[in-house]
Amino acid sequence: GFDLSQFEVGDLIGKGAFGEVYVASHKRRKRVKVALKCMMKSQEDRYLDVDGHSTPVLAEVAMMLRLMNAPRCPNIIRLHDWVELEDNFVLILEYAESCQTLLQYIKDTGDIEENQARRLMRQLIRAVMFCTERGVFHGDIHTANILVTLPRLELKLIDFGCAQPITHKPFNKSDYRGAGHGMPPEALRGRVFHANPAYVWTIGIMLYEIMHGRLAFCNRQSLMFGSIQINPRLSTACVDLISQCLIRNPVQRLQLHQVEEHCWFNPTTPNPV
Ligand code: ADP
Ligand code: MG
Ligand code: MG
């Protein structure tokens, strides 16, 4: 276990819809730091069963636990432990030192080079593939739920508060619990949807946002029917990858393994014609 009394709570480092996140340092070993995500309990909290636990745990914890067994993925924030108090949950997380959210990084950096984008996207894909292997659909991937460490550009996926277990059954629209930025059109349309194509859509949305500094679609109407405006100065491979991830029909969309194999990530394979 993790002894919280050994830690001194420091600055507020982040605020989301449901949680406040503080940095805390070990009282004796000052360089040992953790992030504490504190959430008020609410009526809507979801609990899930976890192997080895006698009682169900907060769904966010349960989903993260699936990702914590070795070998872990370095691109997913680590959950050290958690505490359930009468009115609050506290998640004790790996503290991503000298990091920004991807949202802030995009704002501060301005024009991001394709090489840097590639570096970030490789890590995001690694995180996403790892989640699918462990049966976790994140369901809320957007730029405030991705941390980037500077100057090394290591990427950490955070916030599994909307995550769902992947089963043999497809998801319904109500299973997409996230803010909506990354919601694929098939989910918005109210059809059933599957985790892998939904992840690929989100990957396209993230790559678009990194390369353009703005959202691919500004509202539901344009998400469902609008055409995407891609910067013509991007490489052919990059344009192709964005367009193929953002194909509205999930059957025609690039598949997850094809994303990783796409020529934008593999400059030696020939460009699409
Ligand atoms: P919510 O579920 O309320 O959206 P998040 O888990 O997304 O909460 O955390 C809110 C913010 O706190 C993030 O956008 C980020 O800025 C910051 N944050 C969260 N976890 C960490 C962490 N482990 N290290 C550093 N900053 C973090
Ligand atoms: Mg969040
Ligand atoms: Mg959340």
Side-chain angles (χ1 to χ4, degrees):
F2 216 91
D3 186 2
L4 249 193
S5 69
Q6 297 284 310
F7 284 82
E8 190 172 291
V9 180
D11 293 338
L12 181 73
I13 50 174
K15 232 179 143 124
F18 307 103
E20 288 184 338
V21 182
Y22 296 88
V23 62
S25 355
H26 197 274
K27 283 177 183 162
R28 280 177 292 107
R29 289 172 294 145
K30 291 266 190 282
R31 278 168 51 205
V32 177
K33 290 178 181 163
V34 293
L36 303 178
K37 179 173 179 177
C38 310
M39 294 168 282
M40 289 274 276
K41 282 192 182 177
S42 91
Q43 297 286 313
E44 292 100 70
D45 288 326
R46 296 174 302 137
Y47 289 80
L48 291 175
D49 290 323
V50 178
D51 289 346
H53 281 269
S54 48
T55 53
V57 301
L58 187 67
E60 181 165 356
V61 168
M63 290 291 92
M64 290 194 87
L65 285 176
R66 288 195 178 189
L67 307 168
M68 293 302 126
N69 295 329
R72 285 188 306 107
C73 174
N75 304 115
I76 293 173
I77 208 78
R78 186 170 182 174
L79 175 71
H80 293 301
D81 208 346
W82 72 96
V83 187
E84 181 170 352
L85 307 169
E86 206 169 315
D87 304 319
N88 295 279
F89 296 104
V90 182
L91 269 53
I92 302 153
L93 299 161
E94 164 192 356
Y95 172 55
E97 193 113 38
S98 57
C99 71
Q100 283 185 326
T101 61
L102 180 57
L103 181 71
Q104 195 60 45
Y105 177 74
I106 292 172
K107 272 193 195 139
D108 290 1
T109 313
D111 281 335
I112 295 175
E113 287 170 24
E114 284 191 31
N115 280 336
Q116 275 159 329
R118 192 179 288 114
R119 202 186 160 99
L120 292 171
M121 292 307 295
R122 272 209 186 97
Q123 298 178 78
L124 178 61
I125 291 163
R126 210 178 295 148
V128 161
M129 304 229 354
F130 187 83
C131 287
T132 63
E133 283 158 23
R134 300 285 174 97
V136 175
F137 179 61
H138 185 286
D140 195 19
I141 294 181
H142 58 80
T143 52
N145 284 340
I146 293 172
L147 301 178
V148 177
T149 74
L150 299 168
R152 296 182 60 192
L153 290 196
E154 287 163 339
L155 177 147
K156 306 266 179 191
L157 183 58
I158 63 167
D159 195 358
F160 288 78
C162 297
Q164 297 276 1
I166 299 172
T167 64
H168 59 280
K169 276 197 348 225
F171 292 116
N172 296 116
K173 185 185 178 185
S174 60
D175 292 321
Y176 198 101
R177 306 168 50 86
H181 294 103
M183 190 189 283
E186 64 270 25
L188 201 61
R189 221 178 259 133
R191 304 233 178 102
V192 296
F193 71 95
H194 295 271
N196 283 22
Y199 268 136
V200 172
W201 176 270
T202 310
I203 285 167
I205 292 287
M206 289 297 99
L207 177 55
Y208 184 97
E209 199 171 335
I210 291 173
M211 294 318 309
H212 297 81
R214 57 183 160 79
L215 296 172
F217 304 105
C218 53
N219 54 40
R220 281 171 174 238
Q221 179 76 12
S222 80
L223 191 147
M224 296 303 280
F225 309 107
S227 56
I228 37 168
Q229 307 298 318
I230 299 183
N231 181 347
R233 282 199 300 267
L234 302 185
S235 70
T236 327
C238 188
V239 173
D240 184 77
L241 178 55
I242 294 174
S243 330
Q244 297 233 45
C245 289
L246 296 182
I247 292 175
R248 288 195 177 83
N249 183 343
V251 177
Q252 284 165 6
R253 196 174 300 153
L254 219 58
Q255 291 178 25
L256 191 50
H257 70 93
Q258 293 175 314
V259 173
E260 210 188 17
E261 291 155 9
H262 190 272
C263 63
W264 189 61
F265 293 109
N266 307 283
T268 51
T269 51
N271 272 351
V273 278

